[in-house]
Amino acid sequence: MPHALQRRWELDALRGLMLVLMTLTHMPTMYSLPTGQPLGFVSAAEGFVFLSAFMAGRVYGNRARRDGVVVMQSAFHQRAFKLYLCQLGLLLLAFTVIAWLGVHNRQGGVTGLLEFFFIDPQAAVLGAALLLHNPPLLDILPLYIALMLVSPWLLRHALRHGWAGVLSISALLWVAEQWGLGLALHELVGLPIPYKDMGAFHWFAWQALWVTGLWLGARQQPLPRIPFWCVVPAAMYAAGMLLWRHMVGQDPMPGVPAVGLLLDKWSLGPLRVLNFASVFVLLVTFGPWLKQVLPRPLPLELLGRNSLSVFCAHIVIALFTLAFFGSPEVVRPWSTDVALLASAFAGLFAVAMAVETRERLGGRAALVWQSGPQVR
């Protein structure tokens, strides 16, 4: 097909893996904590955001060169609007059915999740519609939407003037967030929504991960070959973080908050960024070899090809599980938690297959990107 950008199945598989890890983490079972951050002090959220940025840069950068920046910008905005509609649907479910079930079933996991909504419903609903109030589990899409909205401006500038300025400003914003930029701006503006209820992800930090992925994806050259002198320390650091994570748990050093800040997920602490970078170096170095020796993970590809639908489905399933079965702190037989996870994954695969079946019947190509990243 002319001008079609061939899908890369390994990227779909990686994003499918991120969705599996997110589901294991977000489902309120006894396996939530053990399976969280399985590769060290780095989570599926970092991988998901970075991969989404890389694919957006690859597809929309190609679109800008082929059809012009105006068409590219329009495609970004259409995608962001679709994401916003998904977020509104999830919020509507949370503020109505899930909130009622949480109160009716006396499930503290739900009432805690929607705490600000129960305190000030009007401010919560208005703030959520404006992407200012983002309850737990519902705070990833707002970050994604904001980054999608700013990306066409970043791409347009970078395609005309280069990436040096964009990357420099992004790095400075990340550094400023390590010193509390977001909290300082919140106090300066005086928003009626508490800072903790605006979402766990600190946008000024996470934009750096997105901008880096966008830059790498928009490059017309393949990813650079990593020199050996970088691979060895990256492997040592990644291995050390992996052992540390599984020896002490997700709190790297209980009772020493300064160390926790260096590895903080929500502000992307510097040691955490280094952990992600080390895993990335290893993946880029050994990925081609793994691609040759491992069988294609078709189930993961299926999830990754339909990532938006699957992502929303996993949030819905997690919310209903919280409303009926409670939080991970609730003691349940292991068999019950296994059944909950099995049912959740069955639901995710059913959603992915239903979306593909619908699009196949509608005549849409499943193996190419045409008007933007088909990250349904």
Side-chain angles (χ1 to χ4, degrees), residues 2 29 47 76 96 119 140 145-146 167 190 194 215 217 237 246 249 253 272 277 296 314 321 333 368 374:
T29 69
F76 259 119
T96 55
I119 294 173
I140 299 181
I145 293 166
L167 292 171
W215 163 56
Y237 188 80
H246 289 285
M253 195 168 290
R272 190 178 191 90
R296 283 183 62 168
H314 108 276
T321 305
V368 294
Q374 303 300 314

Side-chain angles (χ1 to χ4, degrees), residues 49 52-53 56 144 147-148 151 206-215:
V49 168
S52 297
Y144 196 179
L147 294 171
M148 288 291 285
S151 289
W206 281 75
Q207 57 76 31
L209 188 64
W210 177 274
V211 170
T212 303
L214 195 70
W215 163 56

Side-chain angles (χ1 to χ4, degrees), residues 70-84:
V70 174
V71 174
M72 174 270 292
Q73 184 168 333
S74 176
F76 259 119
H77 290 166
Q78 289 175 17
R79 183 64 180 168
F81 182 65
K82 183 176 182 180
L83 293 168
Y84 180 68

Side-chain angles (χ1 to χ4, degrees), residues 89-123:
L90 292 173
L91 289 169
L92 178 63
L93 174 69
F95 290 157
T96 55
V97 177
I98 299 301
W100 181 85
L101 285 173
V103 173
H104 182 267
N105 296 335
R106 298 181 180 179
Q107 294 292 0
V110 170
T111 55
L113 188 83
L114 302 175
E115 178 184 17
F116 184 65
F117 172 74
F118 289 114
I119 294 173
D120 191 343
Q122 184 176 357

Side-chain angles (χ1 to χ4, degrees), residues 14 51 277-290:
L14 277 174
L51 280 170
S278 65
V279 173
F280 175 75
V281 166
L282 295 178
L283 189 61
V284 170
T285 302
F286 298 106
W289 174 74
L290 291 174

Side-chain angles (χ1 to χ4, degrees), residues 216-231:
L216 291 173
R219 289 162 47 97
Q220 293 183 295
Q221 305 88 2
L223 291 176
R225 184 182 181 87
I226 307 295
F228 183 75
W229 60 266
C230 285
V231 176

